[in-house]
Amino acid sequence: MRRGSVLTLVAIGVVAGGLATAVAVLLPWLPTPASREAGRIDFVIWFVIGICIFVFAVVIAALLYSIVRFRAAPDDESDGPPIHGHTKLEIVWTIIPTLLVTAIGIVSAVVLAQNDAQGSNVLHVDVTAQQFAWSFSYPDSGNLTSATLRLPKDRSVLLTLHTKDVIHSFWVPEFGQKQDTVPGLTTTLHITPDRLGTFPVVCTELCGLGHALMRSTAVVMEPAAFQKWIAGQTKATSSPNPATAGNAVFTNNGCANCHTLTAAGATGKVGPDLDKLVQEAKQAGKPLAAFVKQSITDPSAYVAPGYPDHIMPSTFGSSLSPQQLDALVSYLVSSSKKG
Ligand code: CUA
């Protein structure tokens, strides 16, 4: 190739590469990371995409150049010149990909090692998945349970994941990692949240009828606010005041995600309206308190007309302590009578 042709080729490659890089970098393809791990994973993604853009631009530039420069005339039916390999070219196109793939391997290995390295003072959180709800408990704080995943900023968090039924998958897009929950297995996920905010917790494994509803939220808080929340929750769930204790059980077990209850400020629309429990109990032909208790521990026993069966977890009878269950029942009974 003549010198001028090579310069044209390089110019086309640079322009095409610049355009492709602008599209890749200027559009918001990925959520803004909210954990150190997600930041590192994003770095790997862009590192690999940058290499892909470079290779793609070079190939397309050579292709476009050849189409224009070496196009045969319409009446030219002669054979091309006999060419037999080009050793230098073959060495170059073997060495460059080898270097690129090795670089990707090294960068990925470093990031994986960094992401798995737990800091000191790890916060342990047990994550329980079931059709179709998440619950989170804090073994370092007397197994306090919560329906939202609250985490302190800039502290190593080790999630230990279990499922009560089928395979689910834990995912907070802003944390950048997914982890399956598998029957009979314990899986773990290490996260170091580094941005305050509220982020969605998504089930990302098709797990049944209510899969799309299996959502919660993760809240990253200042460490002091997190400690205050832990202390407040511990106090509320063991409160001698049944309304306070019942409200805490209601909130911590995620009831508000699906049900409306004015007393708790809950506006969920997936399950029956709990402000109308008095009417529902009448329709089911049961005394109010017994009806409420049965609906919590055995939700399929009476399914309110217009609502699907098997959406509400059937495990509250065993996951709640008898005291928590009683507090929740009396809280719901008294709230719905007011409502
Ligand atoms: Cu759980 Cu999808």
Side-chain angles (χ1 to χ4, degrees):
M1 245 192 290
R2 280 173 294 119
R3 196 178 159 75
S5 322
V6 174
L7 286 179
T8 317
L9 183 57
V10 169
I12 296 174
V14 168
V15 171
L19 287 175
T21 308
V23 170
V25 175
L26 296 181
L27 297 182
W29 297 103
L30 296 171
T32 310
S35 78
R36 287 183 207 163
E37 290 73 20
R40 295 186 195 117
I41 291 168
D42 278 15
F43 170 77
V44 178
I45 291 172
W46 290 120
F47 181 72
V48 174
I49 289 180
I51 290 174
C52 294
I53 288 173
F54 168 73
V55 172
F56 184 75
V58 168
V59 170
I60 293 298
L63 180 69
L64 290 179
Y65 177 82
S66 304
I67 288 174
V68 175
R69 176 76 178 71
F70 302 112
R71 196 157 55 112
D75 56 349
D76 178 4
E77 285 175 11
S78 61
D79 285 343
I83 295 170
H84 189 256
H86 189 301
T87 313
K88 260 191 213 159
L89 191 61
E90 284 176 18
I91 291 175
V92 168
W93 77 35
T94 305
I95 288 180
I96 292 179
T98 305
L99 290 178
L100 294 179
V101 172
T102 309
I104 293 173
I106 291 173
V107 167
S108 305
V110 169
V111 164
L112 277 177
Q114 284 179 334
N115 279 1
D116 281 345
Q118 294 161 24
S120 53
N121 189 24
V122 176
L123 174 74
H124 294 92
V125 182
D126 290 335
V127 179
T128 305
Q130 62 182 304
Q131 291 168 322
F132 297 98
W134 295 102
S135 71
F136 308 96
S137 74
Y138 298 78
D140 308 333
S141 308
N143 275 324
L144 174 77
T145 58
S146 172
T148 46
L149 175 60
R150 289 179 181 268
L151 299 174
K153 186 171 168 275
D154 294 324
R155 182 168 162 194
S156 242
V157 177
L158 188 66
L159 303 180
T160 304
L161 303 105
H162 290 277
T163 172
K164 288 187 175 171
D165 36 54
V166 300
I167 299 177
H168 304 271
S169 188
F170 175 91
W171 185 37
V172 174
E174 286 81 357
F175 291 164
Q177 302 168 89
K178 293 178 178 180
Q179 181 59 269
D180 278 8
T181 67
V182 184
L185 280 185
T186 299
T187 50
T188 57
L189 185 63
H190 176 242
I191 301 171
T192 317
D194 64 355
R195 184 159 67 88
L196 298 177
T198 301
F199 312 106
V201 174
V202 180
C203 176
T204 178
E205 181 72 56
L206 184 60
C207 55
L209 199 57
H211 163 68
L213 304 171
M214 189 167 164
R215 293 189 164 229
S216 178
T217 40
V219 184
V220 178
M221 315 166 81
E222 289 290 2
F226 175 76
Q227 288 308 333
K228 209 173 144 193
W229 172 75
I230 288 273
Q233 288 300 303
T234 310
K235 216 170 128 194
T237 38
S238 55
S239 168
N241 178 342
T244 311
N247 180 279
V249 175
F250 184 86
T251 315
N252 291 346
N253 287 281
C255 311
N257 289 347
C258 293
H259 295 284
T260 292
L261 183 67
T262 309
T267 55
K269 295 268 180 279
V270 175
D273 183 343
L274 301 183
D275 287 333
K276 302 200 174 90
L277 280 173
V278 178
Q279 294 94 300
E280 289 283 357
K282 237 175 242 160
Q283 227 168 350
K286 284 212 140 205
L288 183 57
F291 170 71
V292 171
K293 191 165 184 170
Q294 184 193 48
S295 298
I296 296 168
T297 55
D298 183 10
S300 292
Y302 171 83
V303 180
Y307 290 95
D309 195 4
H310 303 300
I311 292 291
M312 173 154 160
S314 58
T315 46
F316 286 122
S318 54
S319 67
L320 296 176
S321 71
Q323 296 88 314
Q324 287 175 323
L325 185 58
D326 289 344
L328 182 57
V329 170
S330 67
Y331 172 67
L332 288 173
V333 167
S334 64
S335 307
S336 64
K337 274 183 184 157
K338 271 180 236 154

